[in-house]
Amino acid sequence: MKKQKKQTTLRTRDALSGLAFLSPWLIGLLVFTLIPIGYSLVMSISRVKFTVNGMELTILGAQWFEEIFTKDANFLPALLDTVEFIAFSTPMILVASVILALLLNKVTKGRGFFRALFFFPVVVISGPVMSKLIGNDATMLIQANDYGVYQIIGNLPGVIATPLQYIFDNVVLILWYSGVQILIILAGLQKINKPIYEAASIDGASGWQIFWKITFPHLKPMILLSGIYTVVDLAGMPSNALAKLVKNNLTRLDAPYSYSAAISWLYSLVELVLLGITFLLLKERKEKHDD
Amino acid sequence: MTKKFSVKGLTNDGKWGQRLTKLAIYVLLLDFGFVYIYPIMYMILVSLMPTSDLINPTIQWVPTYLDFENFKQVFSTLEYPVTFTNTVILAGVASILQTLSCALAGYGLAKFRVPLKKLWIGMLILVFVIPTSLTLVPQYVLFNSYGMVGTELSIWLPAAMGQGVKSSLFVLIFMQGFQYPKAYDEAAQIDGAGPVRTFFRISIPMVVPTIILSLLLSFVWYWNETSRSGLYLDGKINTLPLQLEKFDKLFGAAYPASQGSSLNRLNERIQMAATLLTVGPLMILYLLLQRKFVEGVEASGITGE
């Protein structure tokens, strides 16, 4: 009896110490995240008025959401633009990260140098810097008119041409946004046991087979992690069409704060859907898993 | 005899094949490396070119002579000394606060039987995932009602409470870092150390690489952050990226194009000089400390589970 009591007090003390360490974060979570999220939901269904006593909210219902879908000419294009940007870029960033990590994993001399080079953009990327670089052609590695390749691509059917053209136009951006992902995947590669590869090559597997049968399945969790990181990273860019729309409507005269709160809610939902799709596409299939 | 010969031949072939693959890999790496470095090279070279080189189609890379006039103009347009100091203070303090709060939270989650632990980890991921724009306006309203808009507090407070730029990521890597064997802590506790003392004497020294990584990444991410600081600082405190964002307007005001000389025309070399002055300090920081960045990422377990 006495022993049990002592154990419970020890447990409570343990929990209390933990909560003490966690408390700044917990308070922050409440004050700076959860309450603001709730508040923005309330704002998105309200009319905001500024009075001498501060802000006044009157609940309206879904009026702003209705307006966004029926009257706002900017919303759908911005939404499509953002979704297209994320849906196009994410797979390309992931493929580039896997390729670069595979290359890095194959060399010993100079690996540190290339790794540092590939991580470098993470340190300098910011909205204004990117828009200055893009705006002044610093990212136009391939001048459209200089290369015959471009014309050849232009003549291909749209299904093939569009992604190819996208790669050519955005090669720098794709690589610049891969910095963290390359390191994640490289670490995954280094965790794969060497003997598995040796066994496979003794059994006569080709490099191609080894990649798809051994390397890729082992990398899948890392690719999923990178995919989620990429979607969050891209969706969080202030240069997104949707993010810009939120910003531009912030002080709309007839609907200050509330209209942009409604857009940012839709923005978050879209991002969650994209994350859900990423997760479904990249998660490990349970039935095939046997280790 | 023949057998031996063929075997030897085979290994030779293998060696050559291997060398060729290696060579191909290095060629590919260099190609990719070139793409990575291209915008930076472009930025530096164009910023150093005299205006006549920009319009001269025969000049692609190498400036005919170096011209620093644009740097003088950009330096004064950005109000560089003041802006630079602002940025360093804003990002530096935020980075220290964020590292501290995230280390504490990570420690609490890693070491103790905290009630509802799964929920808190779920919340960490939620905070990481939601777009900043969702909390931007309500936070602004909050800061406004406490008179914190236009002060650094609006950036520092969320950082001090684990809700700053990518805070969740740092909480998670600290959590990972603090998962060393319990025996170390128990030894300290037997010797009479309480949880606070164990934290500072045993646990903190265990995660030094993570601390350095958190400080560095927080610093550069706060340096580069513009959506929160653009709104909360309300133009009263300017950081380098914020000045760069409105650079065209600032430059137009400082050097009106209508007043004569061609020096006042806003062209690529001026834009690139402004960009270079904005990211230059970060580039130097990275050149000096790139090992700490990259190895920190690997050691910290961002890359793990």
Side-chain angles (χ1 to χ4, degrees):
Chain A
M1 192 65 189
K2 209 180 168 189
K3 200 180 168 194
Q4 205 179 11
K5 199 180 167 195
K6 201 177 170 192
Q7 241 177 13
T8 39
T9 47
L10 261 180
R11 269 208 168 172
T12 334
R13 254 179 61 191
D14 196 56
L16 284 178
S17 311
L19 283 175
F21 277 106
L22 205 57
S23 55
W25 179 81
L26 278 175
I27 297 167
L29 176 73
L30 198 67
V31 174
F32 293 117
T33 303
L34 295 183
I35 292 176
I37 291 179
Y39 196 55
S40 84
L41 185 62
V42 175
M43 279 202 293
S44 71
I45 55 167
S46 309
R47 180 180 297 285
V48 179
K49 257 196 189 145
F50 297 100
T51 62
V52 267
N53 304 321
M55 269 170 48
E56 245 173 43
L57 300 179
T58 25
I59 306 278
L60 281 181
Q63 187 187 324
W64 304 130
F65 290 98
E66 256 178 68
E67 201 181 317
I68 288 171
F69 283 111
T70 53
K71 288 187 198 148
D72 194 334
N74 297 322
F75 178 73
L76 274 182
L79 176 73
L80 280 179
D81 194 74
T82 306
V83 170
E84 197 185 276
F85 169 67
I86 296 174
F88 259 125
S89 310
T90 307
M92 287 175 191
I93 288 173
L94 291 180
V95 171
S97 311
V98 171
I99 292 174
L100 286 172
L102 282 171
L103 290 175
L104 277 180
N105 196 39
K106 280 272 188 313
V107 300
T108 40
K109 259 185 218 156
R111 185 195 282 177
F113 168 76
F114 284 111
R115 215 175 40 176
L117 181 61
F118 297 161
F119 191 74
F120 164 72
V122 178
V123 175
V124 295
I125 281 181
S126 68
V129 167
M130 287 319 280
S131 70
K132 279 277 178 277
L133 288 178
I134 295 167
N136 290 288
D137 289 347
T139 56
M140 284 301 285
L141 188 60
I142 300 160
Q143 300 291 332
N145 308 324
D146 292 1
Y147 289 86
V149 193
Y150 235 90
Q151 270 117 47
I152 298 171
I153 292 172
N155 293 331
L156 291 170
V159 201
I160 309 168
T162 322
L164 272 180
Q165 223 149 19
Y166 187 85
I167 295 179
F168 275 93
D169 289 342
N170 294 287
V171 62
V172 170
L173 293 187
I174 293 168
L175 292 181
W176 268 38
Y177 281 98
S178 309
V180 171
Q181 293 86 326
I182 293 172
L183 291 188
I184 295 177
I185 291 167
L186 183 61
L189 280 173
Q190 282 162 354
K191 274 188 207 147
I192 304 174
N193 282 331
K194 284 257 157 61
I196 306 180
Y197 286 119
E198 279 160 22
S201 63
I202 287 169
D203 288 346
S206 68
W208 187 249
Q209 283 171 320
I210 289 177
F211 176 76
W212 287 110
K213 294 269 158 74
I214 298 174
T215 316
F216 187 68
H218 274 93
L219 281 186
K220 256 194 149 177
M222 309 297 165
I223 297 177
L224 172 63
L225 191 68
S226 308
I228 290 171
Y229 184 90
T230 312
V231 173
V232 171
D233 204 26
L234 296 178
M237 279 166 61
S239 56
N240 270 332
L242 271 181
K244 276 186 189 156
L245 203 62
V246 172
K247 209 178 169 189
N248 294 341
N249 280 296
L250 200 57
T251 49
R252 218 181 92 161
L253 282 179
D254 61 324
Y257 297 167
S258 49
Y259 194 76
S260 67
I263 300 176
S264 59
W265 262 94
L266 292 173
Y267 184 12
S268 310
L269 290 180
V270 168
E271 193 195 323
L272 283 180
V273 170
L274 287 171
L275 279 172
I277 294 171
T278 314
F279 187 77
L280 287 178
L281 286 175
L282 296 174
K283 74 164 190 209
E284 277 175 280
R285 310 272 189 288
K286 277 267 154 55
E287 64 273 12
K288 277 188 190 167
H289 206 69
D290 51 9
D291 45 49
Chain B
M1 196 65 185
T2 24
K3 200 181 170 194
K4 212 174 178 182
F5 181 71
S6 72
V7 166
K8 202 179 164 199
L10 234 174
T11 48
N12 250 346
D13 272 4
K15 237 182 196 169
W16 276 108
Q18 265 178 11
R19 273 184 199 166
L20 272 177
T21 338
K22 267 269 152 71
L23 187 70
I25 289 172
Y26 277 111
V27 169
L28 277 172
L29 279 173
L30 282 172
D31 284 345
F32 280 114
F34 176 72
V35 178
Y36 267 91
I37 211 75
Y38 177 89
I40 300 299
M41 251 162 51
Y42 181 95
M43 172 177 73
I44 294 171
L45 289 171
V46 168
S47 72
L48 291 172
M49 275 180 194
T51 312
S52 56
D53 282 7
L54 289 178
I55 40 177
N56 185 343
T58 58
I59 290 175
Q60 274 234 291
W61 285 108
V62 189
T64 36
Y65 62 94
L66 299 183
D67 183 0
F68 295 104
E69 188 55 39
N70 52 341
F71 279 97
K72 278 188 212 154
Q73 287 174 303
V74 168
F75 200 81
S76 73
T77 309
L78 291 174
E79 296 173 59
Y80 202 74
V82 180
T83 313
F84 176 80
T85 320
N86 281 343
T87 318
V88 171
I89 292 173
L90 190 84
V93 174
S95 139
I96 293 168
L97 292 172
Q98 165 146 295
T99 301
L100 191 69
S101 68
C102 294
L104 286 174
Y107 189 73
L109 286 171
K111 284 288 167 190
F112 300 94
R113 274 194 226 96
V114 181
L116 304 174
K117 193 185 271 187
K118 286 229 166 97
L119 175 71
W120 306 133
I121 293 173
M123 284 291 156
L124 277 173
I125 295 165
L126 178 83
V127 175
F128 181 65
V129 161
I130 52 164
T132 350
S133 58
L134 192 59
T135 51
L136 209 58
V137 177
Q139 281 190 14
Y140 177 81
V141 174
L142 178 77
F143 292 132
N144 203 14
S145 61
Y146 286 96
M148 287 186 218
V149 166
T151 69
E152 285 106 336
L153 279 179
S154 59
I155 302 295
W156 291 342
L157 267 184
M161 312 202 90
Q163 310 293 318
V165 176
K166 295 195 186 167
S167 283
S168 294
L169 196 66
F170 296 112
V171 177
L172 289 172
I173 61 175
F174 272 115
M175 220 177 107
Q176 189 88 12
F178 283 127
Q179 257 144 18
Y180 57 83
K182 266 223 157 91
Y184 291 98
D185 297 342
E186 280 160 7
Q189 271 148 21
I190 287 166
D191 289 347
V196 176
R197 202 143 141 211
T198 318
F199 176 70
F200 282 108
R201 290 296 178 81
I202 310 289
S203 309
I204 288 288
M206 292 273 194
V207 293
V208 169
T210 311
I211 293 174
I212 294 172
L213 177 76
S214 169
L215 285 172
L216 288 174
L217 279 182
S218 299
F219 182 76
V220 299
W221 282 340
Y222 267 101
W223 183 292
N224 288 326
E225 200 278 334
T226 50
S227 46
R228 293 167 191 236
S229 51
L231 190 64
Y232 302 162
L233 298 179
D234 200 27
K236 298 211 168 61
I237 301 161
N238 281 308
T239 65
L240 283 169
L242 286 175
Q243 290 283 77
L244 186 68
E245 200 166 34
K246 52 189 180 211
F247 179 75
D248 297 4
K249 232 188 267 168
L250 292 174
F251 189 83
Y255 300 92
S258 53
Q259 283 175 22
S261 89
S262 64
L263 270 179
N264 288 2
R265 282 242 308 281
L266 181 62
N267 51 24
E268 287 107 308
R269 55 194 282 276
I270 291 167
Q271 304 251 27
M272 288 294 97
T275 315
L276 182 57
L277 283 182
T278 303
V279 296
L282 297 178
M283 284 163 61
I284 294 168
L285 183 78
Y286 189 66
L287 276 181
L288 295 175
L289 296 173
Q290 52 89 6
R291 249 165 206 281
K292 302 259 182 242
F293 274 95
V294 179
E295 277 160 19
V297 173
E298 286 190 338
S300 67
I302 291 185
T303 49
E305 0 334 313

